């Protein structure tokens, strides 16, 4: 190739490159077109997708429409009716501002745009292929605009191959629709998948009703209102009450000036506000932030709406205090307890990924924020599980995971042949015992997860099945539509694991039977953990049964703080040794650590 010659790229190539930035997948198309409809003052928007949006996306609105000249301009790059000067970039009040979404989507699809303004006697339509005009015409559609986007990535097959399954892409579209629907309760939004009504938000809803429509009526009823201003930042919305923190990360909705944003600081600030109540997890959150334009930068990423705040600490504190006050005002949800992560700013867990313990991660990483201004009310000391180990972990030998050897325990083929050592229960989190080489510490949660994970895998793979206990009073499990569709696709496997779930309409399931050995609350946790993993990992990343087994293990395993009898500790150890990979949890955390007796002797200068 002769590199010496500079040629300008054709418009077509430029558009394809730009499309890669804006259009990652069907959900990005839906996001851009929905935002355009809102900018056109629509009060009703209908979204229809087929085959996860890969085959067809149709978005119809009753907004202002485009005049014929504008219809012929809108699919060219950098054409916009919203941006007049570079200065406007810093005062954006509309959703779009770069004038490239339609050009980018058109470049990689077959697109038909139909539009009619109030003054038109008929609607005009244009049909494009790969961004090139093919045909024009008229029809008698009503006022507003309809975008039909077909065969996404038809001319960029490699990109097409990167798309997930129809179910996965569909669930991403629904997530996008949900996020935007919550921010615009005044607008009627209808969402249909393969012709089936999936979501309806009625026109003129208030925020709580829209949350009910989008996330679930049960949650919406209980949510606590938030309204707080601090350092020029206005925080409003709703959060789950303090006794209801079993949420999923995708149920945390943050908006900046009514637009969905993603920013990790906001999530941390909320999670921290629940910690005094001894709660972990992601509470359902719908929070709107408002602050002066110059205090943030939205233009970080063209599609993801990542936002940078000029004063991150201020935003953290404003959100944290807003949620904390809301929870306090709501009344008594048990006394807050202090966590060492508050008292010891730089505490961080040692040597573990914490991938299945998000709240702990937040507690640790949140330490960069000023802790003294995050005073919690009515502090009461309770044995905090993790931090006790801090000094021990600072000993170099203790950070290391030393493999079990034959000398330690003869790996028993039958678990009952195991001669159990004496256990000491440390902080209701670790089993401490002596083994042939020294001192052994076992993390009860990680170890139990390993045992249950292998057990679940085996059950699913050999089709054996776990005994079910039918519930006298079935438990209602409310999920979002995306989650419901994911859960629906694994019902059979769940059945093998002892969970009898029946669709109950509108994203709800009835839990009619649970594994015999599980308490109900744990069974419910397991279902939620499963749904969360399905959402996060998707079916394409991992075989579904692996996700199910992991989630099942996570939901059912002992947690830090669970009391165990000597008998239970002995059983746990015996079963752990019998697993195929006793050293790590299914999420990659260590299950045990050892300090050899020689090292202990050395420390005592023997
Ligand atoms: P931007 O939104 O950044 O202006 P787009 O490429 O998304 O860029 O849209 C280009 C232009 O097309 C918009 O500025 C607007 O004038 C027009 N347009 C797009 N969608 C609609 C719609 N649903 N109703 C009316 N006008 C629209
Ligand atoms: Mg736009």
């Amino acid at each position: 190739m002769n590199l010496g010659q500079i040629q300008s790229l054709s418009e077509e190539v430029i558009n394809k490159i730009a499309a890669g930035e804006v259009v990652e997948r069907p959900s990005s198309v839906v996001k851009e077109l929905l935002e355009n409809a809102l900018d056109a003052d629509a009060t009703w928007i209908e979204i229809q997708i087929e085959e996860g949006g890969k085959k067809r996306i149709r978005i119809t609105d009753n907004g202002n429409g485009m005049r014929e000249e504008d219809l012929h301009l809108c699919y060219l790059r950098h054409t916009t009716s919203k941006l007049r000067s570079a200065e406007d970039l810093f005062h954006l009040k509309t959703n779009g501002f770069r004038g490239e979404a339609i050009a980018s989507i058109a470049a990689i699809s077959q697109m038909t745009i139909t539009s009619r303004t109030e003054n038109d006697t008929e609607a005009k339509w244009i049909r494009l292929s790969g961004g090139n005009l093919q045909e024009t015409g008229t029809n008698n559609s009503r006022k507003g605009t309809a975008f039909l986007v077909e065969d996404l990535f038809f001319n960029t097959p490699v990109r097409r191959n990167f798309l997930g399954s129809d179910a996965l892409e569909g669930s991403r579209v629904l997530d996008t629709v949900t996020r935007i629907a919550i921010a615009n309760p005044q607008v009627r939004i209808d969402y249909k998948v393969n012709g089936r009504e999936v979501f309806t938000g009625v026109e003129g809803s208030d925020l709580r009703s829209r949350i009910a429509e989008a996330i679930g009526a049960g949650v919406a009823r209980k949510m606590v209102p938030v309204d707080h201003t601090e350092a020029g930042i206005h925080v409003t919305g709703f959060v789950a009450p303090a006794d209801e923190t079993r949420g999923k990360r995708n149920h945390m909705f943050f908006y900046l000036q009514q637009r969905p944003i993603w920013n990790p600081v906001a999530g941390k600030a909320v999670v921290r506000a629940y910690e005094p109540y001894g709660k972990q997890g992601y509470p359902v959150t719908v929070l709107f932030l408002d602050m002066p334009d110059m205090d943030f930068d939205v233009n970080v990423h063209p599609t993801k709406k990542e936002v940078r705040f000029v004063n991150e600490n201020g935003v953290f504190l404003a959100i944290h205090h807003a949620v904390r006050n809301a929870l306090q005002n709501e009344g008594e949800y048990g006394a807050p307890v202090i966590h060492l992560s508050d008292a010891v700013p730089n505490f961080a867990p040692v040597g573990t990924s914490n991938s299945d313990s998000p709240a702990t991660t937040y507690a640790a990483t949140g330490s960069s924020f000023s802790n003294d201004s995050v005073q919690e009310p009515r502090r009461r000391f309770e044995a905090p599980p993790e931090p006790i180990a801090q000094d021990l972990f600072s000993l170099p030998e203790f950070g290391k995971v030393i493999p079990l050897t034959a000398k330690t325990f003869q790996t028993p083929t039958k678990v009952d042949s195991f001669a159990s050592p004496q256990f000491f229960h440390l902080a209701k989190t670790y089993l401490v015992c002596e083994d042939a080489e020294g001192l052994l510490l076992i993390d009860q949660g990680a170890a139990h997860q390993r045992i249950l994970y292998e057990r679940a895998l085996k059950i699913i793979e050999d089709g054996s099945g776990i005994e079910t206990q039918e519930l006298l009073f079935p438990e209602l499990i409310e999920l979002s539509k995306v989650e419901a569709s994911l859960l629906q696709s694994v019902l059979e496997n769940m059945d093998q694991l002892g969970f009898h779930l029946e669709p109950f309409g509108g994203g709800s399931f009835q839990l009619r039977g649970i594994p015999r050995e599980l308490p109900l609350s744990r069974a419910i946790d397991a279902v939620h953990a499963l749904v969360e993993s399905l959402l996060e990992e998707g079916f394409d990343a991992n075989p579904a049964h692996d996700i199910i087994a992991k989630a099942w293990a996570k939901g059912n395993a002992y947690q830090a703080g669970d009391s165990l009898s000597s008998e239970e500790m002995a059983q746990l150890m015996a079963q752990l040794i019998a697993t195929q990979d006793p050293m790590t949890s299914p999420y990659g955390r260590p299950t045990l650590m050892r300090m050899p007796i020689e090292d202990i002797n050395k420390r005592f200068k023997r």
Side-chain angles (χ1 to χ4, degrees), residues 239-240 242 245-249 251-252 254 262-285 287 316 319-324 327 337 339 341-342 357-366 374 376 532:
V239 292
T245 54
R246 183 183 45 230
K248 288 132 255 177
R249 207 176 330 202
H251 275 172
M252 297 187 97
F254 294 100
W262 169 244
N263 179 284
V265 170
K268 279 177 207 166
V270 172
V271 169
R272 287 288 291 276
Y274 287 81
E275 280 174 9
Y277 300 90
K279 299 292 178 180
Q280 296 203 337
Y282 301 98
V284 180
T285 306
L287 286 183
F316 176 87
I319 297 176
H320 183 83
H321 292 151
V323 176
R324 191 194 62 186
L327 296 178
V337 294
H339 281 254
S341 47
D342 289 335
S357 169
T360 318
T361 312
Y362 278 159
T365 53
V374 191
E376 302 301 349
E532 190 181 344

Side-chain angles (χ1 to χ4, degrees), residues 304-574:
K304 291 217 180 78
K305 282 286 153 68
E306 282 194 27
V307 167
R308 260 190 226 129
F309 298 113
V310 174
N311 174 9
E312 283 220 327
N313 203 23
V315 172
F316 176 87
L317 291 174
I319 297 176
H320 183 83
H321 292 151
V323 176
R324 191 194 62 186
N325 294 350
L327 296 178
Q328 277 174 20
N329 292 343
E330 195 53 20
E332 297 294 306
Y333 289 104
V337 294
I338 188 172
H339 281 254
L340 210 73
S341 47
D342 289 335
V344 184
N346 288 321
F347 168 73
V350 181
T352 62
S353 73
N354 265 302
S355 58
D356 53 347
S357 169
T360 318
T361 312
Y362 278 159
T365 53
S367 58
S368 59
F369 299 100
S370 128
N371 275 288
D372 13 14
S373 31
V374 191
Q375 286 292 330
E376 302 301 349
R378 290 177 291 141
R379 289 190 161 181
R380 171 159 73 79
F381 280 84
E382 242 188 27
E386 53 301 286
I388 284 176
Q390 192 181 20
D391 285 337
L392 282 181
F393 279 126
S394 68
L395 303 176
E397 293 80 2
F398 244 58
K400 276 186 274 171
V401 174
I402 306 165
L404 283 172
T405 57
K407 201 177 143 202
T408 318
F409 291 116
Q410 289 298 323
T411 305
T413 32
K414 268 198 18 243
V415 170
D416 11 300
S417 67
F418 165 75
S420 175
Q422 286 291 320
F423 288 100
F424 171 76
H425 203 192
L426 175 63
K428 293 186 178 175
T429 302
Y430 303 101
L431 281 51
V432 184
C433 70
E434 182 187 5
D435 80 343
E437 294 186 6
L439 179 70
L440 208 56
L441 270 176
I442 298 113
D443 180 313
Q444 66 190 38
H448 202 200
Q449 284 181 6
R450 162 56 55 188
I451 297 162
L452 295 178
Y453 167 72
E454 290 192 6
R455 191 166 153 219
L457 268 188
K458 189 164 174 302
I459 289 166
I460 297 173
E461 275 155 17
D462 70 17
S464 42
I466 281 185
E467 206 187 334
T468 299
Q469 172 185 3
E470 294 299 329
L471 295 175
L472 201 53
F473 302 104
E475 189 74 23
L476 195 64
I477 298 207
E478 283 182 284
L479 299 172
S480 74
K481 299 284 160 51
V482 199
E483 294 165 343
S485 67
L486 289 172
L487 185 58
Q488 181 70 45
S489 61
V490 297
L491 280 189
E492 206 177 299
N493 286 330
M494 289 300 278
D495 218 58
Q496 286 176 322
L497 289 170
F499 293 87
H500 287 176
L501 284 154
E502 269 178 25
F504 200 60
S508 304
F509 282 82
Q510 263 195 341
L511 183 60
R512 307 189 65 93
I514 61 176
R516 182 165 290 286
E517 73 271 31
L518 272 190
L520 178 61
S521 64
R522 280 292 170 81
I524 295 172
D525 284 348
V527 175
H528 284 285
L530 166 80
V531 171
E532 190 181 344
S533 327
L534 287 174
L535 265 175
E536 271 171 21
E537 301 190 27
F539 287 107
D540 307 291
N542 267 306
H545 65 247
D546 192 65
I547 297 177
I548 294 172
K550 266 199 214 166
W552 187 76
K554 181 172 164 186
N556 296 350
Y558 296 134
Q559 292 166 358
D562 283 352
S563 307
L564 302 189
S565 67
S566 325
E567 167 71 12
E568 284 168 327
M569 291 195 269
Q571 271 300 314
L572 186 74
M573 191 65 203

Side-chain angles (χ1 to χ4, degrees), residues 150-319:
E150 292 174 296
D151 298 330
L152 205 57
F153 300 125
F154 79 99
N155 52 357
T156 50
V158 178
R159 301 286 312 283
R160 199 183 165 91
N161 290 340
F162 273 106
L163 295 178
S165 63
D166 292 359
L168 183 61
E169 295 302 338
S171 74
R172 287 175 168 146
V173 171
L174 181 52
D175 185 63
T176 301
V177 173
T178 306
R179 270 169 208 278
I180 294 178
I182 288 175
N184 298 278
Q186 75 288 353
V187 178
R188 173 173 167 182
I189 293 185
D190 288 320
Y191 176 50
K192 288 182 183 158
V193 177
N194 301 328
R196 238 189 50 235
E197 187 78 47
V198 165
F199 171 90
T200 309
V202 302
E203 190 177 333
S205 294
D206 60 15
L207 180 57
R208 198 191 283 272
S209 327
R210 180 52 60 92
I211 295 172
E213 290 158 350
I215 308 179
V219 194
R221 223 180 358 256
K222 291 187 217 148
M223 284 175 89
V224 178
V226 175
D227 193 343
H228 178 74
T229 305
E230 179 173 330
I233 303 158
H234 190 198
V235 186
T236 56
F238 288 96
V239 292
D243 57 351
E244 274 278 322
T245 54
R246 183 183 45 230
K248 288 132 255 177
R249 207 176 330 202
N250 76 313
H251 275 172
M252 297 187 97
F253 299 91
F254 294 100
Y255 301 87
L256 178 59
Q257 299 186 339
Q258 302 297 117
R259 284 173 300 155
I261 55 159
W262 169 244
N263 179 284
V265 170
K268 279 177 207 166
V270 172
V271 169
R272 287 288 291 276
Y274 287 81
E275 280 174 9
Y277 300 90
K279 299 292 178 180
Q280 296 203 337
Y282 301 98
V284 180
T285 306
V286 176
L287 286 183
F288 295 87
L289 309 183
D290 265 297
M291 65 185 83
D293 286 349
M294 68 261 198
D295 288 351
F296 61 86
D297 177 11
V298 251
N299 215 356
V300 181
H301 188 283
T303 56
K304 291 217 180 78
K305 282 286 153 68
E306 282 194 27
V307 167
R308 260 190 226 129
F309 298 113
V310 174
N311 174 9
E312 283 220 327
N313 203 23
V315 172
F316 176 87
L317 291 174
I319 297 176

Side-chain angles (χ1 to χ4, degrees), residues 32 36 39 82 96-97 101:
E32 294 293 338
N36 281 346
D39 284 344
K82 298 164 195 171
F97 54 90

